[in-house]
């Protein structure tokens, strides 16, 4: 990212200098679609982020925002509706902060980022966390990082329409260089787990496809989980979320829930257990077991949760054929990236074979990203 260009643009648009903030995208090693079920996840912030330059403009509520990557300007009041789709994120963050009883006033800003869009690396959470952090700091509002993560999540729910869990915004706010975050998505207790897999590399392969209706399909998955949990709760009142359920409990309601909801819930219950096992293996430095669990997650996401697609399954197959230690679809699914844990000596061959065969089959060049685990939201 050319950060100077962002500062210069701010100056040329508004004739003054602003302050720069950033917040990153994330990867997730394992624990997918578990967050909104109260389960566990293992994300880490990455070295791809959103950046904004911002300054109060002295008005009570006028917001001027320039999206540098799109060369688009939007201007709105806190009572209007933004014209641009991306304006909703900034608008939503302001409103969610105001709901906490804090005063937000007018500001000017410029923003840009290098988190690939639609790649499952949480560009939207990065944008929300970047603005949440910036507004909080700029007006000295005293919100903590837990509150900022929730502001971002509520923005998705109320202004974007995705009923997401807390993982992405949490990782963006709490990221720490060199560490993954083992997060209990119900209590929000978390632990940093140093991640330095000696002899291995973590690589993302972007299919460069984003299948449509991902957000409605995502919300539908969440509904299936809530349905299944509500049936189980009839017999086991202590089951608030699938996090509290076992496979045996699910089997008891097999004749009551739809086959589809059953399959979704089965994946989630298995995935929460798998995430625990993978985490223990990680703490022992047993990357082979971690990798095995990643493959199991992929199969579950593909066959039971049905959030994979032809392109992702293809890259997963290539990984297996190349002897890659672990590989799976990452994030919400329906396109985006696979995350791959690969031994150093196999890395180059794998990347070559995967990119060549993918391009040959789908006529799209996949993108390759080496993962660097980085810090979360901050002022620059
Ligand atoms: C998206 C959501 C997250 C999480 C993942 C799947 O990234 O924003 O909350 O549910 O999908 O694990």
């Amino acid at each position: 990212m050319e950060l100077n260009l962002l500062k210069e643009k701010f100056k040329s648009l508004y004739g003054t200098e602003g302050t720069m903030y950033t917040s990153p995208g994330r990867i997730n090693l394992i624990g997918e679609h578990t967050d909104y079920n109260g389960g566990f996840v293992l994300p880490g912030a990455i070295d791809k982020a959103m950046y904004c330059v911002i300054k109060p403009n002295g008005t009570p509520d006028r917001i001027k925002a320039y999206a540098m990557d799109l060369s688009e300007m939007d201007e709105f009041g806190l009572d209007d509706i933004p014209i641009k789709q991306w304006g909703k994120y900034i608008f939503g963050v302001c409103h969610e902060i105001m709901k906490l009883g804090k005063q937000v006033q007018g500001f000017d800003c410029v923003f840009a980022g290098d988190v690939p869009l639609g790649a499952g690396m949480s560009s939207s959470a990065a944008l929300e966390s970047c603005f949440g952090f910036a507004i909080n700091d700029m007006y000295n509002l005293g919100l903590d990082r837990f509150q900022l993560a929730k502001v971002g999540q509520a923005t998705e729910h109320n202004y974007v329409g995705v009923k997401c869990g807390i993982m992405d915004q949490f990782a963006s706010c709490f990221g720490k260089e060199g560490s993954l975050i083992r997060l209990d998505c119900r209590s929000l207790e978390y632990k940093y787990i140093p991640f330095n897999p000696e002899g291995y590399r973590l690589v993302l392969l972007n299919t460069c496809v984003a299948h449509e209706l991902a957000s409605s399909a995502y919300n539908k998955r969440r509904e299936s989980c809530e349905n299944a949990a509500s049936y189980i709760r009839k017999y086991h009142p202590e089951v608030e979320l699938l996090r509290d359920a076992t496979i045996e409990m699910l089997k008891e309601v097999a004749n009551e829930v739809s086959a589809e909801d059953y399959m979704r819930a089965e994946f989630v219950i298995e995935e929460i257990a798998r995430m625990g096992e993978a985490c223990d293996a990680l703490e022992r430095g047993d990357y082979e077991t971690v990798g095995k669990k990643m493959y199991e997650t992929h199969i579950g996401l593909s066959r039971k949760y049905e959030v994979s697609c032809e392109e992702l399954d293809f890259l997963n197959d290539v990984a297996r054929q190349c002897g890659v230690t672990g590989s799976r679809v990452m994030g919400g699914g329906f396109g985006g990236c696979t995350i791959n844990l690969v031994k150093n000596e196999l890395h180059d061959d794998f990347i070559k074979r995967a990119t060549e065969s993918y391009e040959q089959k789908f006529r799209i060049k996949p993108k390759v990203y080496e993962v660097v685990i980085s810090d979360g939201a901050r002022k620059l």
Side-chain angles (χ1 to χ4, degrees):
M1 270 299 299
E2 269 296 343
L3 300 184
N4 275 338
L5 289 181
L6 212 60
K7 286 187 189 157
E8 281 162 23
K9 190 72 198 175
F10 187 92
K11 193 147 192 212
S12 76
L13 282 172
Y14 309 115
T16 173
E17 268 163 32
T19 308
M20 185 177 285
Y21 296 88
T22 184
S23 202
R26 61 108 190 86
I27 52 122
N28 183 30
L29 193 65
I30 199 160
E32 216 66 90
H33 289 275
T34 49
D35 59 352
Y36 51 85
N37 289 297
F40 295 83
V41 291
L42 195 54
I46 53 175
D47 62 335
K48 301 195 183 320
M50 285 294 178
Y51 300 84
C52 76
V53 181
I54 187 166
K55 189 179 189 179
N57 60 19
T59 67
D61 87 325
R62 292 311 290 172
I63 292 167
K64 280 194 211 161
Y66 185 72
M68 204 151 110
D69 298 327
L70 304 168
S71 306
E72 283 180 3
M73 185 81 183
D74 202 358
E75 185 177 345
F76 45 85
L78 287 171
D79 289 331
D80 311 338
I81 302 290
I83 299 163
K84 309 285 185 204
Q85 176 63 23
W86 52 261
K88 286 188 195 162
Y89 290 88
I90 303 173
F91 183 82
V93 166
C94 293
H95 276 267
E96 292 301 331
I97 290 180
M98 284 152 60
K99 283 187 197 163
L100 298 173
K102 305 290 181 185
Q103 205 187 351
V104 176
Q105 293 179 321
F107 56 82
D108 296 336
C109 64
V110 171
F111 72 94
D114 58 5
V115 190
L117 305 183
M121 291 154 85
S122 301
S123 54
S124 55
L127 185 60
E128 290 145 10
S129 306
C130 184
F131 273 95
F133 192 90
I135 293 167
N136 182 49
D137 188 73
M138 172 170 84
Y139 291 120
N140 223 340
L141 302 178
L143 300 174
D144 62 26
R145 286 178 192 258
F146 290 99
Q147 289 172 300
L148 293 176
K150 288 181 191 164
V151 159
Q153 184 193 22
T155 299
E156 291 285 339
H157 287 197
N158 302 327
Y159 298 87
V160 186
V162 180
K163 302 286 177 198
C164 66
I166 192 74
M167 168 169 73
D168 305 349
Q169 292 80 7
F170 196 96
S172 193
C173 289
F174 284 83
K176 181 173 163 182
E177 195 184 324
S179 288
L180 298 178
I181 311 168
R182 182 193 174 132
L183 172 66
D184 177 335
C185 297
R186 175 150 60 195
S187 66
L188 296 190
E189 272 169 39
Y190 67 102
K191 182 177 165 194
Y192 289 115
I193 302 191
F195 184 70
N196 181 22
E198 234 174 88
Y200 296 82
R201 281 159 83 169
L202 205 53
V203 197
L204 304 183
L205 283 184
N206 190 352
T207 57
C208 296
V209 297
H211 290 287
E212 271 173 73
L213 300 177
S215 63
S216 60
Y218 180 94
N219 292 347
K220 220 171 145 227
R221 296 298 180 285
R222 183 173 183 150
E223 262 170 43
S224 286
C225 294
E226 285 167 358
N227 273 343
S230 73
Y231 278 105
I232 297 174
R233 200 176 309 125
K234 286 202 284 183
Y235 306 98
H236 303 276
E238 72 281 12
V239 174
E240 185 204 345
L241 295 160
L242 284 181
R243 144 86 180 266
D244 309 307
T246 60
I247 293 288
E248 288 65 38
M249 292 176 184
L250 180 64
K251 281 186 184 153
E252 284 168 25
V253 296
N255 295 329
E256 296 174 65
V257 299
S258 72
E260 188 176 293
D261 291 357
Y262 186 95
M263 217 165 48
R264 308 290 191 240
E266 190 178 40
F267 165 76
V268 169
I269 296 169
E270 287 169 354
E271 178 70 357
I272 292 173
R274 202 158 32 229
M275 144 77 203
E277 288 156 15
C279 225
D280 293 345
L282 187 66
E283 293 195 274
R284 294 194 302 272
D286 174 3
Y287 298 109
E288 293 303 309
T289 300
V290 173
K292 218 169 124 240
K293 298 287 158 200
M294 290 168 75
Y295 278 114
E296 287 171 20
T297 294
H298 185 85
I299 293 173
L301 285 169
S302 179
R303 303 200 191 140
K304 293 185 182 170
Y305 220 62
E306 296 182 296
V307 294
S308 187
C309 58
E310 204 193 337
E311 294 88 346
L312 286 163
D313 287 345
F314 179 86
L315 288 179
N316 185 258
D317 284 342
V318 178
R320 196 177 279 108
Q321 286 154 16
C322 291
V324 169
T325 303
S327 174
R328 64 178 196 81
V329 40
M330 187 185 76
F334 309 104
C337 291
T338 59
I339 177 167
N340 305 276
L341 181 64
V342 51
K343 283 210 174 103
N344 285 343
E345 60 269 27
L346 296 179
H347 174 271
D348 294 354
D349 177 56
F350 166 54
I351 297 302
K352 186 165 183 286
R353 274 172 70 184
T355 48
E356 284 175 6
S357 57
Y358 185 85
E359 194 177 353
Q360 199 177 24
K361 176 148 171 80
F362 297 104
R363 307 267 156 232
I364 310 169
K365 219 179 168 59
K367 293 214 169 81
V368 183
Y369 314 106
E370 302 288 331
V371 174
V372 181
I373 308 290
S374 306
D375 285 331
R378 61 201 183 273
K379 188 180 192 163
L380 288 176

